Each structure stands twice: as C-alpha cells, then as structure tokens.
Amino acid sequence: MQFPESWLREFCNPPLSTTELAELLTMSGMEVDELRPVAPPFSGVVVAEVLSVEPHPNANKLRVCLVHTGTEQALQIVCGAANVREGLKVPCALVGAELPPTPSKEGGAQTTEPFKIKLNQLRGVNSHGMLCSAAELHLPSLDGDGLLELDPAAPVGVNIREYLQLDDTLFTLKLTPNLGHVLSVYGVAREVSALTGAPLHVAKRPRVEAALDHALPVSIEAPDLCGRFSGRIVRGVNPNARPPAWMIDRLARCGQRSISPLVDISNYVMFEWGQPSHIFDLDAMEGGLAIRWARAGEKLKLLNGQNIDLDPSIGLIADAQGPLSLAGIMGGDATAVSEHTKNIYIEAAFWWPQAVSGRSRRFNVSTDAGYRYERGVDPEQTLACIERISQLVLEICGGQMGPISDQNVPSDPKKPVSLRVARAAKVIGMPITQAQCREVLQGLGLSFEEADGVFIVFPPSWRFDLQIEEDLIEEVIRVLGFEQLPSTPPLAPVLARARPEHRRTASWVRHAMAALDYFETINFSFVEESWENNLAGNPHPIKLLNPISAPLAVMRSSLMGGLINVLRHNLARRTSRVRVFEIGRVFERDYTAPEGPLQVKGVRQPLNLGGLAFGPIVPTQWSGRERIVDFFDIKGHLEALLIPKNIRFEAAKHPALHPGRSASILLENQKVGFLGELHPRWRQLYELPSAPVLFEISLDFILDHPIPVFTGLPRQQSVWRDLAVVMPQEITHDQVIGMVRSGHPLVRSAVLFDLYKPEHQEASFHRNLAVRIELHDETQPLTEDRIDAAIERIIDLFAQQGGFLRG
C-alpha cells in the first residue's frame, strides 16, 4: 500500500519526523518497505501564467510566449508544446534553474549531472527560461508529453515545490493479511493516533440532501454473500468534467492513474477510507438489483474485457436482465460509466470475506477492491462512504441526488474476547499493569468491560483480526512498543550435549556420499499419488487436506520418486551421467506410533538415505572405453559406506525394481533397505534411455557405527586351504560362506575366489566354486590332524546341502 505522508498528517499529525514515523509504523507491525520523495531535487521552478502566444517566425512547430512569473517584467520564452495557450498556468524554469538529469546515455555511462537552464536562442529568438512538462520535472502525473497544466487559481511566482508539495514523502507499507483495517490512509492514521496519542482529525462535512424521491429497489437474496448494501441514484451528472488537480495528484501518489471523474472519485474514497465502491450507468440497468449467487450457465463480461463463465460459488449484483458485476471484485462492462453517461447509481457494500476470497485468483483478476474485501471491510461505514462519494460527485460532476437506500442483513454479533493481564505479562515476558492494558484498549477505540484483572473486549466492526486472547496480547505489546521488551538471559542453562561415540552424524553421511561421487539433492515431501502407487506399492498414501498444487497431493513413503524426477530433469538438459542422493523423511502409516513433540500419532516419520546412479561408471576418459553402472557397482558403494557393519544382500522383489536385479539389505536378518535396477515398466513410463540403479536405506542404521576394538598381532601363524566344491545352483554365495564360517571354530575367514560353470551344463544344475579358507588358533600352533578335522567338518556341511568336492 502506497500513500503520501502529507495525506496521512491531515488525519493525524504526531510530533515525529518522517524517519521516526516510519520507524514507529514498522515496529508496530506495519512494515515500511520503502520511503521515497515525490520528486527528485531541482530548483528555480515557479508557477507562471502564459500571457500571450505568437507563432515563431522561423519554425512552424514553435511558439513565442510572453510569460508572467511574478516579477515586474514578463519573460519571453520559446515553447514547442502543443497545449500551450493564453491564460495557462504552468511550471516555469527560470534562467539558472537546475532540473533533474535527463535519462540519456553518453559514451555508455548514465548521465547524472543536473540539467541547467541558460539564456538560449532558438531559431533566432531569445528564450529566457523553459516551460516544463511533468516528465521534465520527473513528477507522477498523467498529462502526457505536454506542459503540466496547473490549477487556474495557482498563485503566480510561488515555488513549484511548495505549491505542489514536492518535498512530500511516499510511504510504501508491506502489510500482513491480518491488517485489513489499515488498507486506507484513515486506517493508518487511526493506528498512528493509538500509538502516539496524537488526536485524530476527521473533517465534518454537511450531509448531501436528496433532491429526488426515487430509490432503486434492492433485494439481498444471499445473506451469506452480502451483509450490507447501500446505494443512491444520481441524475444529470457531467461525466466529462475535469477532476481537480489535487485529486489526480493524490491518486498518482497512491500509484493509481486517473481514468475518468466518476471512477477517480470512487478510487479516491477507497484510498481515503478503505471502503471500495462501484458506480453503475443507471440507464444500462433494468429494474431493481438482486444480490445473489450466480446460476449455472450465466456469463459476464468484466470491465477489463474478460468474458467469464459463472457458477453457483460466485457472488453477483444482478438486475432483471442478468449479471451486472462480480461481487466485491470487478464491475461488468455493460454498466460501466462512459463519456455519455448521464445518470448513475453509487453502490457501497459489505461482502463477507469468505464469499470473496479466492475468486480473484480463479479468474486471474487482481483488484484493489477484492484485496480489501478478502481481508475484511468495515460494514458500518458504507453509508459514510456513499455520503463522501455523493459530496465529491456533486462538487465535480454536478447532478441531483436521490435518497440513500440501505439494506442491512441481521447477523450474529462478534464474540467478545477475554484479556487476562497476568496472562499478557507471561506471554509478553515483562510486567504489564492493568492500567497499561486499559490505556492501550482505549487508544485503539475498543469497547470493553473490566473486572479483577480481566478485560472483556468487544471487537469493533473494522477489526476482523481480534478473535482470541493472543490477538489482544499482540495489540498490547504492539502499542506499548517492542523496544520496551527487556533483554533478559534465558533461565534454563545452555548445556552442550555430547554425542555418543558410536553415533555418526548426517553430515558425515553427506561427506561420505560426496566422496563416492554423489551430489546431494533436496525434494518436496509432497509427491504425486502415482509415484506412491508405482514406486512404493502404496495404494493408500497419506493425503494432504490443502496441497500446494494439485499434483503434489500426498506425503511420500519413499525417496525414489523425487530421485527419478531429478534424473529426468537432468536428462532433459543433456546430462549423460547422474549420481544423486537425498537424506529426507518419509511418512508411513503406523497406528502404534505415539504422539510426541516431533511426532504425529499414527504416522511414523523415519529419516532415510536414498541414492540413484545412471550412466557410465566413470566420466568420459581418453581410453574411450565406457561401462554403464550396474547393480554390483552400487552394492560396492553401500559396502564402502557401511564398513565395518556385517551386512548382507538377499535377492528380493520390490514394486519399483527389476524382479531379477534387486535385493534387500539385511543386518542380522532385519531388513534395513533395498537396492536394485529400476523396473523396465517404469523405465518405459518415465521415458528413460536406460535403467538407473537405486537404493534406499534407513539413516538411523547408518548412523549407528560400531566402535573399533583393539586386537593385538597374532602370535601363531594362519593356515590356508583351498576347496574346489560342486554345489547345487540354488545354493547362494552367502550360504556357502556361512557354512564355512560356522563349520569349525578354527575358521577365521573365507572368500570365494573362483566360479566355474561349463557351457554344456544346464542352468539349473550345479556350479563349481573355489573357496579359500583361513584357519587360525591364537593359543597354539595348528597340526595336520586339527586342520584335516576342520576341513572334513566343512566338507560334511557341503554334503548335507548336496555338494561334493570336485575331482
């Protein structure tokens, strides 16, 4: 919201400088986003009157003007503006004046030097100054490229900065949605009065008496749409009258361009009092007005030329022919005032915020009226708004006024809100007295009842944000001043908590993944429901009540959807090798999960580590040989990450992974994650050129790191034996190594070092394995008898599973 400081000080003028006033507003919750002058510095410009205009003897487009600037002798000035004429009051820059630098580039650098007015000669005629346009003075005016036309009553010779109040400052406020009551100059002034105690001045104007006895009949058919509707007929207006310069200037300083006198009046009153209004062309309306919800199939052409289809969730002002205006947002094109309008209908209403909210975004329409109605407008000021508009219409456009019709729908009064002084002191964090609370409430103009340290406050009609006790507590400290809060140290001791030695941190995991050539990515916890169905096998994900967008409608139970989306994003940018990981929470239904400070009952929220690898195993090299990453490469990465944990991988199926190229990650028979190649079905669905390898594992399992234990150098020598054994095809590598390790206490380690399968054998028959076994005894040397006994025991275990020594 933007407004000039001078307009604010007409309502409330506290003894504060501009900077102090801006600081006060900011510290009270009305953040001042910008302070800037109305006009840049310039000097030597006065109000002048054109006495005569003669053609230039040597130039068709120039005029020789005789100009009165307040001195005894009139000045001769050559001017080329099309709107120069006798009797015109304009700004005149005298010889020696310095104007703002003209935006131009010389030698590539922006010109910053002021433009100096000198005695000049144009086509052989002397010119003792320059008549100025608004652009030449860098003023926010809308008079086009011609001279800036001043009010005919402007005093000649007065400094133009003084006359136009160009030393004024524009305030731009950045308001939060709960501050709808300060979306006007009067609303801000009301807050300044409460904050400073300065009196609030409101000019008393005589009431406009009705000269006509005719009123337009109005019927409020939807009380849940409109709480109050006020209006008045005016006949015989002049729609082409020129709005006064002061009104155009104030609108420009509020960021609003001048459109027409009737529209300007409506906008001016909105900025002044915060009450939007609308002026209809009465002759384009038929019958009375109905305030109702739209009917299916109805259409409306808005003032901006947009044609919209209506439905029963849209509020309307309608007549006997159909919709006239989009309630609280924008009027219709058919009843817009124009240069031919003679009779008008002025409307000011109170629309319920919930009936207007969201409708502007639906039609991609943004208006000042809708912005205010969504936050709440005072329903008690519609009559005052009609009166103020009527006064301005009568002064500027003339006409005869009809009586004001006022339809007020009975509604439940606002609920009173309690304020406990002791509670306010506790929440604010400093002593608060009952007298201070009373003074704040009185300054804000709030009605209340007081008894035993408790105030029962009755929110006024303009305060939609006062609903709970904390709202009133906020008002107390806001008015008293946040700078009054004491700087007190915390009561609780600040103690560093030592992390157990066996626990790593998430930062360690990030560094370890980066060392394995992975890049970290961060994705939304909200995902598409299809991702959960396809990639997580979760037909009933946790749905969001109010998703930030339609596709991101559920909470993720797996990190894979986000990782695949990152891969697609990179492939679209011609990245051929992708390594990404993410550490993030997943959300799973678990009705045994208790309620906690960081826990929602019935929902488990573990932290997982997910990763994806795609493309060549190494970047492009001079050798030119390229191998695509596979299951075993990523298995090696996980083993490197999880050393010295004793993990194992077991073939398993997963809804997102290739049925023959996926495995569960197990620790002591507990599943802690999975690894595998993306299923061909999903590779085709997501249009990937080849299948990436993915993994996901519980982060808590990774962070739990065994503490290394010192072991002395062995005193006895180890013995190695190699066994070549034929095992059935279904016996896995892990089972073979497990049989060797559990076969005898002397076994220290075992490793598979050869795998042989003749080409002529059936795939489901046997495999020839070669295992190297290390035997060791710390207490005494190994003998041949003990070694043979251990090997025989291992061979027996092989035989029990259908294996035998290879001949």
Side-chain angles (χ1 to χ4, degrees), residues 739-767:
M739 284 186 282
V740 173
R741 288 181 177 275
S742 62
H744 199 278
L746 293 179
V747 177
R748 185 177 183 181
S749 66
V751 61
L752 177 70
F753 69 89
D754 189 26
L755 172 63
Y756 171 70
K757 183 168 63 175
E759 294 182 1
H760 63 274
Q761 283 189 349
E762 295 293 335
S764 61
F765 192 56
H766 287 81
R767 291 185 298 177

Side-chain angles (χ1 to χ4, degrees), residues 113 227 296 338 498 521 531 537 604 651 678 767 770 773 778 789:
E113 294 296 323
S338 66
T521 181
W531 295 1
R604 197 165 63 89
L678 185 66
R767 291 185 298 177
I773 305 170
E778 182 64 29

Side-chain angles (χ1 to χ4, degrees), residues 176-231:
T176 52
N178 64 314
L179 297 178
H181 59 284
V182 296
L183 287 172
S184 65
V185 178
Y186 173 75
V188 176
R190 183 170 51 197
E191 292 298 303
V192 172
S193 176
L195 294 167
T196 63
L200 188 63
H201 302 288
V202 179
K204 293 185 178 180
R205 297 180 175 86
R207 185 176 178 180
V208 177
E209 297 297 332
L212 305 173
D213 58 359
H214 175 62
L216 196 66
V218 176
S219 172
I220 300 180
E221 300 177 4
D224 56 339
L225 168 64
C226 180
R228 190 168 191 174
F229 192 93
S230 305

Side-chain angles (χ1 to χ4, degrees), residues 402-665:
I404 296 178
S405 61
D406 183 34
Q407 305 292 324
N408 198 351
V409 178
S411 60
D412 296 334
K414 292 185 177 181
K415 295 181 180 180
V417 183
S418 299
L419 172 63
R420 296 166 290 175
V421 178
R423 170 69 175 163
K426 184 176 181 180
V427 172
I428 292 172
M430 72 178 191
I432 298 293
T433 65
Q434 190 165 337
Q436 287 177 307
C437 292
R438 184 188 310 113
E439 184 178 353
V440 168
L441 298 177
Q442 290 173 343
L444 291 171
L446 305 180
S447 301
F448 59 87
E449 295 176 358
E450 178 182 358
D452 299 330
V454 178
F455 292 88
I456 306 299
V457 180
F458 303 94
S461 57
W462 65 85
R463 293 300 297 266
F464 288 80
D465 58 322
L466 301 181
Q467 299 179 0
I468 58 177
E469 185 177 25
E470 283 70 15
D471 296 330
L472 294 175
I473 294 174
E474 179 186 358
E475 294 299 297
V476 170
I477 186 56
R478 186 173 68 87
V479 175
L480 292 180
F482 290 105
E483 65 276 4
Q484 303 295 328
L485 290 172
S487 299
T488 55
L491 299 178
V494 179
L495 300 175
R497 293 192 300 174
R499 187 178 67 254
E501 189 177 357
H502 67 87
R503 292 287 292 182
R504 292 166 168 163
T505 64
S507 179
W508 180 92
V509 177
R510 290 185 174 94
H511 281 82
M513 292 300 296
L516 291 169
D517 202 21
Y518 286 78
F519 289 87
E520 184 175 15
T521 181
I522 300 174
N523 297 300
F524 279 123
S525 296
F526 319 130
V527 298
E528 297 182 21
E529 189 169 359
S530 62
W531 295 1
E532 284 295 295
N533 296 332
N534 299 341
L535 303 175
N538 183 9
H540 303 292
I542 300 172
K543 295 187 177 182
L544 296 169
L545 296 177
N546 187 24
I548 59 174
S549 66
L552 307 181
V554 301
M555 304 296 291
R556 66 184 178 187
S557 64
S558 171
L559 303 177
M560 285 194 297
L563 294 173
I564 293 175
N565 198 46
V566 170
L567 171 62
R568 297 177 66 196
H569 180 84
N570 280 270
L571 291 176
R573 284 148 185 82
R574 305 183 68 84
T575 304
S576 60
R577 183 177 183 272
V578 178
R579 301 285 188 279
V580 290
F581 77 93
E582 179 179 8
I583 295 176
R585 293 197 181 276
V586 296
F587 304 85
E588 305 168 351
R589 296 186 187 276
D590 183 359
Y591 296 106
T592 63
E595 185 78 24
L598 300 176
Q599 181 71 37
V600 177
K601 186 177 181 180
V603 179
R604 197 165 63 89
Q605 307 175 40
L607 273 169
N608 284 3
L609 167 67
L612 177 146
F614 175 88
I617 185 63
V618 294
T620 304
Q621 300 182 48
W622 61 270
S623 65
R625 286 179 290 181
E626 189 176 85
R627 183 174 67 82
I628 301 300
V629 67
D630 62 18
F631 174 94
F632 297 101
D633 295 316
I634 308 307
K635 176 175 176 287
H637 291 170
L638 291 178
E639 289 173 334
L641 179 68
L642 298 171
I643 288 176
K645 290 179 179 291
N646 184 22
I647 63 168
R648 61 189 182 89
F649 298 85
E650 184 178 279
K653 292 184 178 181
H654 188 279
L657 304 179
H658 193 295
R661 300 174 187 175
S662 59
S664 296
I665 306 172

Side-chain angles (χ1 to χ4, degrees), residues 46 48-49 51-52 64-78 92-95 126-130:
V46 299
E49 181 180 5
L51 300 178
S52 64
V64 180
C65 306
L66 198 62
V67 179
H68 176 40
T69 60
T71 60
E72 293 183 359
Q73 185 175 0
L75 301 179
Q76 177 178 283
I77 297 177
V78 177
C92 177
L94 305 175
V95 173
N126 290 332
S127 182
H128 299 264
M130 184 178 77

